[in-house]
Amino acid sequence: MALEIVKYGHPVLREKGKRIDHVTADIRQLAADMIATMYAAEGVGLAAQQVGRPLMLTVIDVTPTELPWTISPKLPMPLVLLNPVLSHPQGEQIGSEGCLSVPEVNAPIRRAEQVTVRARTLDGKDIGFDCTGLLARAAQHEMDHLNGVLFIDRMDAATRASFAGKLKKMQKETEATLDKPRKSRRSLVRL
Ligand code: ZN
């Protein structure tokens, strides 16, 4: 089932994900729903924060794109990564990046060309792989989400400034949809 994607301005996007120590039925369902959500939104990756759950869980599938990437050893997509850790960044790539939580904002972002990813699968298996190109970019973008970091934080100052108005508007719109704690009328009763 496709879930609603949380938009910029929602505080959950700034939360660091909680480690997942036990794969429960809830986590399996969440992963399946995140994959459905990613495909429905035509994204190549999605982090749990983006569906309102601050957990160390991300899904990635870069196969629908024409941009180059590699993975070694070969693993089937979609990737479901629990508690991922990135290491051994090498080289550099600058490419246009967007985010399902920050619609209509695209900008060149500098990323490592290659990274090593270690993670646990839904089956409780520890996996590790080296990846390059778009997959390395996706892994870095999603790892950022899991740490409460957004791609706009990685824009150069001039680019970020050019989107300032749009971001502010989006933040206001999102905040308007959030349930704000209201002062209970009863608290005003004096007896
Ligand atoms: Zn994103």
Side-chain angles (χ1 to χ4, degrees):
M1 181 185 73
L3 306 171
E4 194 180 332
I5 297 177
V6 166
K7 296 296 188 302
Y8 178 72
H10 195 299
V12 74
L13 291 174
R14 292 307 190 179
E15 280 186 52
K16 193 173 157 64
K18 198 167 160 269
R19 234 188 109 78
I20 299 170
D21 291 319
H22 303 287
V23 178
T24 58
D26 170 58
I27 294 293
R28 283 180 189 283
Q29 186 61 52
L30 176 61
D33 289 344
M34 282 171 60
I35 290 168
T37 307
M38 171 177 70
Y39 289 147
E42 297 185 347
V44 295
L46 194 71
Q49 275 81 348
Q50 293 181 277
V51 292
R53 301 283 298 273
L55 294 167
M56 284 284 174
L57 168 63
T58 182
V59 298
I60 296 175
D61 187 348
V62 290
T63 54
T65 77
E66 290 177 344
L67 294 165
W69 56 275
T70 66
I71 184 168
S72 171
K74 217 170 155 61
L75 290 167
M77 304 267 171
L79 296 167
V80 177
L81 306 174
L82 282 66
N83 310 324
V85 175
L86 268 51
S87 64
H88 302 88
Q90 284 176 50
E92 186 181 286
Q93 58 170 314
I94 297 173
S96 181
E97 211 168 293
C99 178
L100 293 173
S101 292
V102 194
E104 293 168 44
V105 174
N106 283 277
I109 304 289
R110 188 186 305 267
R111 301 279 189 188
E113 168 57 25
Q114 178 177 333
V115 289
T116 300
V117 179
R118 301 206 168 276
R120 183 154 286 188
T121 68
L122 280 178
D123 302 323
K125 234 171 62 179
D126 289 322
I127 55 165
F129 58 88
D130 294 327
C131 55
T132 67
L134 178 64
L135 182 52
R137 174 175 296 280
Q140 290 167 86
H141 181 111
E142 300 314 331
M143 194 70 234
D144 274 353
H145 271 304
L146 301 186
N147 286 317
V149 174
L150 297 173
F151 83 121
I152 54 171
D153 305 341
R154 298 197 181 275
M155 287 175 180
D156 63 56
T159 308
R160 173 122 189 200
S162 74
F163 287 114
K166 198 166 206 167
L167 291 171
K168 194 159 196 172
K169 187 165 171 273
M170 208 182 301
Q171 180 163 10
K172 274 196 172 159
E173 284 169 1
T174 301
E175 281 171 357
T177 67
L178 299 177
D179 281 328
K180 301 228 175 70
R182 278 180 217 139
K183 259 193 189 166
S184 163
R185 282 182 190 171
R186 277 178 196 277
S187 71
L188 300 173
V189 174
R190 301 279 186 269
L191 292 170

mmCIF file of all heavy atoms in Angstrom, residues 46-92:
data_model
loop_
_atom_site.group_PDB
_atom_site.id
_atom_site.type_symbol
_atom_site.label_atom_id
_atom_site.label_comp_id
_atom_site.label_asym_id
_atom_site.label_seq_id
_atom_site.Cartn_x
_atom_site.Cartn_y
_atom_site.Cartn_z
ATOM 1 N N LEU A 46 13.795 5.713 -0.954
ATOM 2 C CA LEU A 46 12.895 6.294 0.040
ATOM 3 C C LEU A 46 13.392 5.901 1.423
ATOM 4 O O LEU A 46 13.768 4.748 1.645
ATOM 5 C CB LEU A 46 11.464 5.770 -0.173
ATOM 6 C CG LEU A 46 10.350 6.512 0.555
ATOM 7 C CD1 LEU A 46 10.114 7.888 -0.058
ATOM 8 C CD2 LEU A 46 9.057 5.706 0.526
ATOM 9 N N ALA A 47 13.389 6.852 2.334
ATOM 10 C CA ALA A 47 13.803 6.587 3.712
ATOM 11 C C ALA A 47 12.563 6.566 4.606
ATOM 12 O O ALA A 47 11.552 7.207 4.297
ATOM 13 C CB ALA A 47 14.769 7.676 4.183
ATOM 14 N N ALA A 48 12.647 5.837 5.720
ATOM 15 C CA ALA A 48 11.490 5.687 6.607
ATOM 16 C C ALA A 48 10.969 7.037 7.105
ATOM 17 O O ALA A 48 9.766 7.227 7.259
ATOM 18 C CB ALA A 48 11.858 4.781 7.785
ATOM 19 N N GLN A 49 11.882 8.001 7.330
ATOM 20 C CA GLN A 49 11.475 9.342 7.762
ATOM 21 C C GLN A 49 10.452 9.946 6.797
ATOM 22 O O GLN A 49 9.590 10.717 7.178
ATOM 23 C CB GLN A 49 12.692 10.286 7.822
ATOM 24 C CG GLN A 49 13.474 10.230 9.101
ATOM 25 C CD GLN A 49 14.433 9.063 9.149
ATOM 26 O OE1 GLN A 49 14.387 8.147 8.333
ATOM 27 N NE2 GLN A 49 15.318 9.071 10.119
ATOM 28 N N GLN A 50 10.591 9.591 5.499
ATOM 29 C CA GLN A 50 9.732 10.196 4.473
ATOM 30 C C GLN A 50 8.296 9.668 4.512
ATOM 31 O O GLN A 50 7.428 10.206 3.821
ATOM 32 C CB GLN A 50 10.336 9.961 3.087
ATOM 33 C CG GLN A 50 11.647 10.731 2.903
ATOM 34 C CD GLN A 50 12.214 10.505 1.525
ATOM 35 O OE1 GLN A 50 12.892 9.509 1.291
ATOM 36 N NE2 GLN A 50 11.929 11.403 0.599
ATOM 37 N N VAL A 51 8.067 8.597 5.286
ATOM 38 C CA VAL A 51 6.695 8.159 5.524
ATOM 39 C C VAL A 51 6.359 8.303 7.010
ATOM 40 O O VAL A 51 5.477 7.630 7.537
ATOM 41 C CB VAL A 51 6.438 6.721 5.012
ATOM 42 C CG1 VAL A 51 6.502 6.688 3.488
ATOM 43 C CG2 VAL A 51 7.411 5.722 5.615
ATOM 44 N N GLY A 52 7.115 9.188 7.673
ATOM 45 C CA GLY A 52 6.774 9.554 9.042
ATOM 46 C C GLY A 52 7.313 8.646 10.132
ATOM 47 O O GLY A 52 6.885 8.744 11.272
ATOM 48 N N ARG A 53 8.247 7.750 9.779
ATOM 49 C CA ARG A 53 8.775 6.816 10.778
ATOM 50 C C ARG A 53 10.288 7.015 10.926
ATOM 51 O O ARG A 53 11.045 6.657 10.018
ATOM 52 C CB ARG A 53 8.497 5.372 10.338
ATOM 53 C CG ARG A 53 7.018 5.034 10.129
ATOM 54 C CD ARG A 53 6.271 4.817 11.418
ATOM 55 N NE ARG A 53 6.800 3.697 12.185
ATOM 56 C CZ ARG A 53 6.417 2.420 12.035
ATOM 57 N NH1 ARG A 53 5.507 2.096 11.143
ATOM 58 N NH2 ARG A 53 6.945 1.481 12.781
ATOM 59 N N PRO A 54 10.746 7.580 12.034
ATOM 60 C CA PRO A 54 12.186 7.798 12.218
ATOM 61 C C PRO A 54 12.911 6.512 12.593
ATOM 62 O O PRO A 54 13.198 6.253 13.751
ATOM 63 C CB PRO A 54 12.253 8.841 13.338
ATOM 64 C CG PRO A 54 10.968 8.694 14.078
ATOM 65 C CD PRO A 54 9.948 8.119 13.139
ATOM 66 N N LEU A 55 13.208 5.707 11.572
ATOM 67 C CA LEU A 55 13.880 4.415 11.757
ATOM 68 C C LEU A 55 15.025 4.302 10.761
ATOM 69 O O LEU A 55 15.003 4.920 9.702
ATOM 70 C CB LEU A 55 12.889 3.273 11.487
ATOM 71 C CG LEU A 55 11.723 3.122 12.454
ATOM 72 C CD1 LEU A 55 10.679 2.178 11.872
ATOM 73 C CD2 LEU A 55 12.215 2.617 13.805
ATOM 74 N N MET A 56 16.016 3.458 11.113
ATOM 75 C CA MET A 56 17.136 3.226 10.204
ATOM 76 C C MET A 56 16.725 2.208 9.135
ATOM 77 O O MET A 56 17.124 1.042 9.198
ATOM 78 C CB MET A 56 18.353 2.714 10.994
ATOM 79 C CG MET A 56 19.067 3.798 11.762
ATOM 80 S SD MET A 56 20.056 4.823 10.641
ATOM 81 C CE MET A 56 20.625 6.080 11.784
ATOM 82 N N LEU A 57 15.901 2.648 8.212
ATOM 83 C CA LEU A 57 15.371 1.771 7.167
ATOM 84 C C LEU A 57 15.210 2.555 5.878
ATOM 85 O O LEU A 57 14.595 3.627 5.864
ATOM 86 C CB LEU A 57 14.009 1.207 7.615
ATOM 87 C CG LEU A 57 13.163 0.496 6.563
ATOM 88 C CD1 LEU A 57 13.861 -0.745 6.025
ATOM 89 C CD2 LEU A 57 11.797 0.119 7.151
ATOM 90 N N THR A 58 15.781 2.023 4.800
ATOM 91 C CA THR A 58 15.613 2.671 3.507
ATOM 92 C C THR A 58 15.437 1.625 2.409
ATOM 93 O O THR A 58 15.897 0.488 2.555
ATOM 94 C CB THR A 58 16.807 3.608 3.182
ATOM 95 O OG1 THR A 58 16.570 4.248 1.931
ATOM 96 C CG2 THR A 58 18.119 2.859 3.105
ATOM 97 N N VAL A 59 14.749 2.018 1.352
ATOM 98 C CA VAL A 59 14.592 1.150 0.180
ATOM 99 C C VAL A 59 15.128 1.905 -1.038
ATOM 100 O O VAL A 59 14.999 3.127 -1.127
ATOM 101 C CB VAL A 59 13.119 0.740 -0.040
ATOM 102 C CG1 VAL A 59 12.618 -0.068 1.148
ATOM 103 C CG2 VAL A 59 12.216 1.941 -0.271
ATOM 104 N N ILE A 60 15.753 1.163 -1.940
ATOM 105 C CA ILE A 60 16.367 1.773 -3.127
ATOM 106 C C ILE A 60 16.133 0.860 -4.332
ATOM 107 O O ILE A 60 16.274 -0.360 -4.223
ATOM 108 C CB ILE A 60 17.893 1.960 -2.933
ATOM 109 C CG1 ILE A 60 18.196 2.941 -1.793
ATOM 110 C CG2 ILE A 60 18.552 2.437 -4.234
ATOM 111 C CD1 ILE A 60 19.682 3.082 -1.461
ATOM 112 N N ASP A 61 15.769 1.459 -5.461
ATOM 113 C CA ASP A 61 15.751 0.724 -6.729
ATOM 114 C C ASP A 61 16.088 1.706 -7.849
ATOM 115 O O ASP A 61 15.253 2.528 -8.228
ATOM 116 C CB ASP A 61 14.387 0.077 -6.981
ATOM 117 C CG ASP A 61 14.410 -0.823 -8.215
ATOM 118 O OD1 ASP A 61 15.395 -0.747 -8.983
ATOM 119 O OD2 ASP A 61 13.454 -1.587 -8.412
ATOM 120 N N VAL A 62 17.308 1.615 -8.343
ATOM 121 C CA VAL A 62 17.757 2.554 -9.383
ATOM 122 C C VAL A 62 17.550 1.976 -10.784
ATOM 123 O O VAL A 62 17.893 2.632 -11.770
ATOM 124 C CB VAL A 62 19.238 2.961 -9.195
ATOM 125 C CG1 VAL A 62 19.398 3.836 -7.966
ATOM 126 C CG2 VAL A 62 20.145 1.743 -9.110
ATOM 127 N N THR A 63 16.981 0.767 -10.901
ATOM 128 C CA THR A 63 16.873 0.143 -12.233
ATOM 129 C C THR A 63 15.970 0.895 -13.218
ATOM 130 O O THR A 63 16.179 0.767 -14.418
ATOM 131 C CB THR A 63 16.393 -1.329 -12.119
ATOM 132 O OG1 THR A 63 15.176 -1.370 -11.376
ATOM 133 C CG2 THR A 63 17.430 -2.203 -11.429
ATOM 134 N N PRO A 64 14.955 1.677 -12.753
ATOM 135 C CA PRO A 64 14.124 2.345 -13.759
ATOM 136 C C PRO A 64 14.816 3.507 -14.487
ATOM 137 O O PRO A 64 14.216 4.084 -15.390
ATOM 138 C CB PRO A 64 12.925 2.870 -12.951
ATOM 139 C CG PRO A 64 12.959 2.154 -11.661
ATOM 140 C CD PRO A 64 14.398 1.841 -11.406
ATOM 141 N N THR A 65 16.018 3.868 -14.101
ATOM 142 C CA THR A 65 16.651 5.032 -14.731
ATOM 143 C C THR A 65 17.680 4.602 -15.769
ATOM 144 O O THR A 65 18.075 3.440 -15.832
ATOM 145 C CB THR A 65 17.384 5.910 -13.696
ATOM 146 O OG1 THR A 65 18.613 5.268 -13.356
ATOM 147 C CG2 THR A 65 16.554 6.122 -12.461
ATOM 148 N N GLU A 66 18.105 5.587 -16.577
ATOM 149 C CA GLU A 66 19.125 5.310 -17.598
ATOM 150 C C GLU A 66 20.505 5.762 -17.144
ATOM 151 O O GLU A 66 21.473 5.588 -17.860
ATOM 152 C CB GLU A 66 18.752 6.025 -18.899
ATOM 153 C CG GLU A 66 17.540 5.394 -19.563
ATOM 154 C CD GLU A 66 17.108 6.132 -20.813
ATOM 155 O OE1 GLU A 66 17.547 7.282 -20.997
ATOM 156 O OE2 GLU A 66 16.343 5.549 -21.591
ATOM 157 N N LEU A 67 20.575 6.361 -15.945
ATOM 158 C CA LEU A 67 21.871 6.853 -15.467
ATOM 159 C C LEU A 67 22.755 5.679 -15.059
ATOM 160 O O LEU A 67 22.273 4.660 -14.577
ATOM 161 C CB LEU A 67 21.656 7.790 -14.277
ATOM 162 C CG LEU A 67 20.921 9.087 -14.621
ATOM 163 C CD1 LEU A 67 20.428 9.791 -13.371
ATOM 164 C CD2 LEU A 67 21.821 10.015 -15.427
ATOM 165 N N PRO A 68 24.078 5.806 -15.262
ATOM 166 C CA PRO A 68 24.981 4.691 -14.972
ATOM 167 C C PRO A 68 25.214 4.457 -13.479
ATOM 168 O O PRO A 68 25.221 5.403 -12.696
ATOM 169 C CB PRO A 68 26.282 5.118 -15.659
ATOM 170 C CG PRO A 68 26.222 6.594 -15.742
ATOM 171 C CD PRO A 68 24.777 6.974 -15.826
ATOM 172 N N TRP A 69 25.381 3.200 -13.124
ATOM 173 C CA TRP A 69 25.682 2.811 -11.745
ATOM 174 C C TRP A 69 26.184 1.376 -11.766
ATOM 175 O O TRP A 69 25.935 0.633 -12.713
ATOM 176 C CB TRP A 69 24.427 2.902 -10.871
ATOM 177 C CG TRP A 69 23.276 2.094 -11.378
ATOM 178 C CD1 TRP A 69 22.356 2.493 -12.307
ATOM 179 C CD2 TRP A 69 22.930 0.738 -11.037
ATOM 180 N NE1 TRP A 69 21.453 1.479 -12.559
ATOM 181 C CE2 TRP A 69 21.782 0.382 -11.791
ATOM 182 C CE3 TRP A 69 23.468 -0.211 -10.165
ATOM 183 C CZ2 TRP A 69 21.177 -0.865 -11.705
ATOM 184 C CZ3 TRP A 69 22.857 -1.459 -10.073
ATOM 185 C CH2 TRP A 69 21.720 -1.770 -10.838
ATOM 186 N N THR A 70 26.879 1.002 -10.714
ATOM 187 C CA THR A 70 27.315 -0.392 -10.566
ATOM 188 C C THR A 70 27.113 -0.825 -9.119
ATOM 189 O O THR A 70 27.049 0.014 -8.208
ATOM 190 C CB THR A 70 28.813 -0.572 -10.907
ATOM 191 O OG1 THR A 70 29.603 0.123 -9.930
ATOM 192 C CG2 THR A 70 29.141 -0.061 -12.305
ATOM 193 N N ILE A 71 27.023 -2.144 -8.942
ATOM 194 C CA ILE A 71 26.965 -2.723 -7.599
ATOM 195 C C ILE A 71 27.813 -3.991 -7.617
ATOM 196 O O ILE A 71 27.754 -4.762 -8.568
ATOM 197 C CB ILE A 71 25.513 -3.013 -7.158
ATOM 198 C CG1 ILE A 71 25.478 -3.522 -5.715
ATOM 199 C CG2 ILE A 71 24.820 -3.992 -8.098
ATOM 200 C CD1 ILE A 71 24.066 -3.538 -5.119
ATOM 201 N N SER A 72 28.624 -4.173 -6.562
ATOM 202 C CA SER A 72 29.469 -5.356 -6.487
ATOM 203 C C SER A 72 29.583 -5.823 -5.032
ATOM 204 O O SER A 72 29.986 -5.038 -4.168
ATOM 205 C CB SER A 72 30.859 -5.019 -7.031
ATOM 206 O OG SER A 72 31.741 -6.076 -6.774
ATOM 207 N N PRO A 73 29.213 -7.046 -4.691
ATOM 208 C CA PRO A 73 28.646 -8.052 -5.595
ATOM 209 C C PRO A 73 27.236 -7.676 -6.048
ATOM 210 O O PRO A 73 26.585 -6.837 -5.431
ATOM 211 C CB PRO A 73 28.612 -9.312 -4.723
ATOM 212 C CG PRO A 73 28.469 -8.800 -3.327
ATOM 213 C CD PRO A 73 29.259 -7.515 -3.293
ATOM 214 N N LYS A 74 26.793 -8.325 -7.106
ATOM 215 C CA LYS A 74 25.484 -8.058 -7.682
ATOM 216 C C LYS A 74 24.390 -8.452 -6.682
ATOM 217 O O LYS A 74 24.428 -9.533 -6.101
ATOM 218 C CB LYS A 74 25.328 -8.899 -8.945
ATOM 219 C CG LYS A 74 24.592 -8.206 -10.064
ATOM 220 C CD LYS A 74 24.714 -9.030 -11.343
ATOM 221 C CE LYS A 74 23.585 -8.788 -12.310
ATOM 222 N NZ LYS A 74 23.393 -7.484 -12.823
ATOM 223 N N LEU A 75 23.447 -7.561 -6.450
ATOM 224 C CA LEU A 75 22.321 -7.854 -5.546
ATOM 225 C C LEU A 75 21.034 -7.440 -6.253
ATOM 226 O O LEU A 75 21.025 -6.478 -7.011
ATOM 227 C CB LEU A 75 22.466 -7.060 -4.242
ATOM 228 C CG LEU A 75 23.595 -7.473 -3.302
ATOM 229 C CD1 LEU A 75 23.812 -6.402 -2.235
ATOM 230 C CD2 LEU A 75 23.286 -8.811 -2.649
ATOM 231 N N PRO A 76 19.956 -8.163 -5.991
ATOM 232 C CA PRO A 76 18.697 -7.818 -6.664
ATOM 233 C C PRO A 76 18.056 -6.559 -6.077
ATOM 234 O O PRO A 76 18.155 -6.311 -4.875
ATOM 235 C CB PRO A 76 17.820 -9.048 -6.421
ATOM 236 C CG PRO A 76 18.354 -9.674 -5.176
ATOM 237 C CD PRO A 76 19.818 -9.355 -5.116
ATOM 238 N N MET A 77 17.395 -5.781 -6.943
ATOM 239 C CA MET A 77 16.633 -4.614 -6.499
ATOM 240 C C MET A 77 15.164 -5.053 -6.364
ATOM 241 O O MET A 77 14.753 -5.962 -7.064
ATOM 242 C CB MET A 77 16.750 -3.486 -7.524
ATOM 243 C CG MET A 77 18.161 -3.076 -7.840
ATOM 244 S SD MET A 77 18.686 -1.716 -6.789
ATOM 245 C CE MET A 77 20.438 -1.661 -7.223
ATOM 246 N N PRO A 78 14.370 -4.411 -5.517
ATOM 247 C CA PRO A 78 14.770 -3.292 -4.678
ATOM 248 C C PRO A 78 15.630 -3.749 -3.503
ATOM 249 O O PRO A 78 15.444 -4.838 -2.975
ATOM 250 C CB PRO A 78 13.427 -2.742 -4.187
ATOM 251 C CG PRO A 78 12.514 -3.920 -4.191
ATOM 252 C CD PRO A 78 12.945 -4.759 -5.355
ATOM 253 N N LEU A 79 16.556 -2.879 -3.108
ATOM 254 C CA LEU A 79 17.340 -3.121 -1.905
ATOM 255 C C LEU A 79 16.531 -2.629 -0.702
ATOM 256 O O LEU A 79 15.951 -1.541 -0.748
ATOM 257 C CB LEU A 79 18.655 -2.339 -1.972
ATOM 258 C CG LEU A 79 19.654 -2.711 -3.066
ATOM 259 C CD1 LEU A 79 20.725 -1.634 -3.171
ATOM 260 C CD2 LEU A 79 20.282 -4.065 -2.780
ATOM 261 N N VAL A 80 16.477 -3.436 0.333
ATOM 262 C CA VAL A 80 15.889 -3.007 1.601
ATOM 263 C C VAL A 80 17.026 -3.034 2.611
ATOM 264 O O VAL A 80 17.578 -4.095 2.903
ATOM 265 C CB VAL A 80 14.747 -3.943 2.054
ATOM 266 C CG1 VAL A 80 14.213 -3.508 3.412
ATOM 267 C CG2 VAL A 80 13.625 -3.956 1.022
ATOM 268 N N LEU A 81 17.411 -1.872 3.112
ATOM 269 C CA LEU A 81 18.597 -1.757 3.958
ATOM 270 C C LEU A 81 18.215 -1.325 5.367
ATOM 271 O O LEU A 81 17.632 -0.257 5.568
ATOM 272 C CB LEU A 81 19.585 -0.750 3.356
ATOM 273 C CG LEU A 81 19.997 -1.002 1.892
ATOM 274 C CD1 LEU A 81 20.860 0.151 1.387
ATOM 275 C CD2 LEU A 81 20.730 -2.336 1.754
ATOM 276 N N LEU A 82 18.540 -2.156 6.346
ATOM 277 C CA LEU A 82 18.313 -1.831 7.753
ATOM 278 C C LEU A 82 19.645 -1.449 8.385
ATOM 279 O O LEU A 82 20.668 -2.101 8.136
ATOM 280 C CB LEU A 82 17.743 -3.042 8.494
ATOM 281 C CG LEU A 82 16.253 -3.366 8.330
ATOM 282 C CD1 LEU A 82 15.929 -3.788 6.917
ATOM 283 C CD2 LEU A 82 15.837 -4.464 9.294
ATOM 284 N N ASN A 83 19.624 -0.421 9.194
ATOM 285 C CA ASN A 83 20.810 0.047 9.914
ATOM 286 C C ASN A 83 22.030 0.208 9.001
ATOM 287 O O ASN A 83 23.119 -0.268 9.332
ATOM 288 C CB ASN A 83 21.166 -0.917 11.060
ATOM 289 C CG ASN A 83 19.976 -1.240 11.927
ATOM 290 O OD1 ASN A 83 19.117 -0.392 12.169
ATOM 291 N ND2 ASN A 83 19.896 -2.475 12.415
ATOM 292 N N PRO A 84 21.871 0.839 7.840
ATOM 293 C CA PRO A 84 23.002 0.920 6.912
ATOM 294 C C PRO A 84 24.137 1.804 7.443
ATOM 295 O O PRO A 84 23.895 2.734 8.215
ATOM 296 C CB PRO A 84 22.394 1.548 5.648
ATOM 297 C CG PRO A 84 21.208 2.297 6.128
ATOM 298 C CD PRO A 84 20.690 1.545 7.320
ATOM 299 N N VAL A 85 25.341 1.447 7.045
ATOM 300 C CA VAL A 85 26.533 2.241 7.369
ATOM 301 C C VAL A 85 27.302 2.433 6.069
ATOM 302 O O VAL A 85 27.529 1.467 5.338
ATOM 303 C CB VAL A 85 27.423 1.511 8.399
ATOM 304 C CG1 VAL A 85 28.705 2.294 8.639
ATOM 305 C CG2 VAL A 85 26.683 1.297 9.709
ATOM 306 N N LEU A 86 27.688 3.663 5.792
ATOM 307 C CA LEU A 86 28.466 3.960 4.585
ATOM 308 C C LEU A 86 29.918 4.195 4.967
ATOM 309 O O LEU A 86 30.193 4.832 5.988
ATOM 310 C CB LEU A 86 27.918 5.206 3.880
ATOM 311 C CG LEU A 86 26.852 4.989 2.792
ATOM 312 C CD1 LEU A 86 25.727 4.113 3.302
ATOM 313 C CD2 LEU A 86 26.332 6.300 2.273
ATOM 314 N N SER A 87 30.826 3.691 4.132
ATOM 315 C CA SER A 87 32.244 3.924 4.393
ATOM 316 C C SER A 87 33.017 3.971 3.072
ATOM 317 O O SER A 87 32.452 3.753 2.003
ATOM 318 C CB SER A 87 32.798 2.813 5.286
ATOM 319 O OG SER A 87 32.722 1.577 4.615
ATOM 320 N N HIS A 88 34.306 4.240 3.198
ATOM 321 C CA HIS A 88 35.219 4.255 2.046
ATOM 322 C C HIS A 88 34.750 5.121 0.882
ATOM 323 O O HIS A 88 34.710 4.652 -0.256
ATOM 324 C CB HIS A 88 35.492 2.830 1.548
ATOM 325 C CG HIS A 88 36.088 1.936 2.616
ATOM 326 N ND1 HIS A 88 35.306 1.205 3.485
ATOM 327 C CD2 HIS A 88 37.361 1.683 2.955
ATOM 328 C CE1 HIS A 88 36.071 0.527 4.315
ATOM 329 N NE2 HIS A 88 37.327 0.812 4.025
ATOM 330 N N PRO A 89 34.343 6.368 1.151
ATOM 331 C CA PRO A 89 33.964 7.222 0.018
ATOM 332 C C PRO A 89 35.169 7.480 -0.877
ATOM 333 O O PRO A 89 36.269 7.734 -0.374
ATOM 334 C CB PRO A 89 33.491 8.520 0.693
ATOM 335 C CG PRO A 89 34.159 8.524 2.027
ATOM 336 C CD PRO A 89 34.313 7.082 2.425
ATOM 337 N N GLN A 90 34.956 7.368 -2.162
ATOM 338 C CA GLN A 90 36.045 7.599 -3.117
ATOM 339 C C GLN A 90 35.553 8.432 -4.284
ATOM 340 O O GLN A 90 34.426 8.254 -4.750
ATOM 341 C CB GLN A 90 36.565 6.271 -3.661
ATOM 342 C CG GLN A 90 37.447 5.509 -2.679
ATOM 343 C CD GLN A 90 37.859 4.168 -3.236
ATOM 344 O OE1 GLN A 90 38.347 4.073 -4.358
ATOM 345 N NE2 GLN A 90 37.653 3.112 -2.474
ATOM 346 N N GLY A 91 36.433 9.311 -4.776
ATOM 347 C CA GLY A 91 36.124 10.092 -5.961
ATOM 348 C C GLY A 91 35.016 11.092 -5.716
ATOM 349 O O GLY A 91 34.632 11.352 -4.568
ATOM 350 N N GLU A 92 34.509 11.662 -6.787
ATOM 351 C CA GLU A 92 33.515 12.721 -6.667
ATOM 352 C C GLU A 92 32.605 12.706 -7.878
ATOM 353 O O GLU A 92 33.042 12.401 -8.984
ATOM 354 C CB GLU A 92 34.261 14.061 -6.599
ATOM 355 C CG GLU A 92 33.382 15.239 -6.335
ATOM 356 C CD GLU A 92 34.200 16.536 -6.305
ATOM 357 O OE1 GLU A 92 34.915 16.749 -5.318
ATOM 358 O OE2 GLU A 92 34.130 17.283 -7.291
#
